[in-house]
Amino acid sequence: MKTLHKPLQITVYQDVLCSWCYLADLRLDVLRQEFGEAVRWSVRPYPLRLHDVLPTEREVRGLVEEVKRAQREAEPTAALLSTDLWLGGDPPRSSVPALAALEAARLQGPQARAFLARAMQRAALEQGVNVSRSDVVFELASRVGLSMNQFSAAFRSEETRRLIYDEHRLAGSRGVRGVPTLVIGGRWMLCGLRELTEYREHILACLGKVTTPRSGSSERLVH
């Protein structure tokens, strides 16, 4: 297989309220540095909580268990994950406002989105702050240095909310059912958190640097 001359496209579907996405981001940051301009990354919203409704007691138990499982991962920062987001008395009703904030920040450049995403992840998943609240969104956006007039207009726009719902439908039509999900080169779909070495192996395979990785139960060819 020949090495691709144009950048390899990788789409990452994620939800800022997801502990597994938080850990996946840390691993993928290493690969962003490693592969540089050989890979073009696109981060797209996929809300796990699509509708504006409080989580049920059963849902809260499941969300807390997910956090506890994520806490056992090898990264030192995994121990910083907290269940307070779901047990602190002000759980997010929906992921849509938080993801809309990231789309609004994206209009000021990919770095602006990345800075806000990391600030929101830390606030929500380490400190238990409900980042779907508008007051929290604006405080964090200001803290990371966004142009607030531009951000506010985009965040409050119905078009931005509609984009989130459209992205969710489009991702579902492509086979995305959860996050984190990576689509690598339009060829491989990796669902769920993976080891850094596994992410690297799939990227190298699509770049033509190694043979095709062994298939697992949570990965498949994209048709």
Side-chain angles (χ1 to χ4, degrees):
M1 185 186 299
K2 295 182 180 179
T3 302
L4 296 176
H5 294 288
K6 62 181 180 180
L8 175 68
Q9 179 70 42
I10 299 180
T11 302
V12 183
Y13 292 96
Q14 62 176 218
D15 187 328
V16 73
L17 303 181
C18 172
S19 298
W20 302 113
C21 291
Y22 167 96
L23 295 174
D25 261 354
L26 296 175
R27 297 176 185 181
L28 295 177
D29 278 346
V30 175
L31 299 177
R32 290 185 180 99
Q33 295 296 319
E34 283 186 18
F35 288 102
E37 295 182 357
V39 174
R40 180 175 298 154
W41 302 83
S42 173
V43 183
R44 304 311 305 150
Y46 186 86
L48 294 177
R49 298 197 60 76
L50 187 63
H51 304 293
D52 184 17
V53 61
L54 280 172
T56 65
E57 290 185 7
R58 180 178 180 180
E59 286 175 324
V60 167
R61 287 195 298 270
L63 291 162
V64 168
E65 181 56 33
E66 287 290 307
V67 174
K68 291 180 177 179
R69 286 174 53 207
Q71 288 171 336
R72 297 195 286 269
E73 289 294 316
E75 282 84 358
T77 49
L80 298 176
L81 291 169
S82 169
T83 59
D84 288 350
L85 180 65
W86 306 110
L87 297 177
D90 183 26
R93 298 170 62 92
S94 169
S95 305
V96 173
L99 292 172
L102 297 183
E103 292 307 303
R106 189 194 301 276
L107 297 178
Q108 299 184 40
Q111 280 292 88
R113 185 211 172 276
F115 287 150
L116 182 59
R118 188 56 53 87
M120 293 179 81
Q121 285 177 324
R122 287 174 174 162
L125 302 171
E126 296 179 9
Q127 301 166 26
V129 177
N130 181 357
V131 297
S132 70
R133 287 172 34 185
S134 294
D135 58 332
V136 175
V137 165
F138 284 111
E139 179 182 345
L140 292 174
S142 176
R143 191 181 300 173
V144 300
L146 297 186
S147 172
M148 294 306 295
N149 287 339
Q150 181 184 357
F151 174 80
S152 177
F155 175 66
R156 297 183 188 280
S157 169
E158 283 301 316
E159 184 177 344
T160 304
R161 297 296 198 282
R162 190 159 51 247
L163 181 150
I164 304 297
Y165 293 112
D166 289 345
E167 285 279 358
H168 188 273
R169 285 192 292 270
L170 180 60
S173 72
R174 292 173 174 171
V176 177
R177 297 292 180 266
V179 291
T181 293
L182 269 67
V183 178
I184 305 176
R187 177 182 174 190
W188 289 101
M189 179 179 288
L190 273 64
C191 308
L193 180 67
R194 302 302 183 93
E195 295 297 331
L196 175 63
T197 52
E198 188 173 355
Y199 286 132
R200 182 185 290 114
E201 183 182 33
H202 278 82
I203 293 172
L204 287 171
C206 286
L207 287 170
K209 302 292 187 180
V210 299
T211 56
T212 303
R214 293 189 298 272
S215 294
S217 59
S218 300
E219 69 193 45
R220 58 185 177 80
L221 285 169
V222 177
H223 299 290

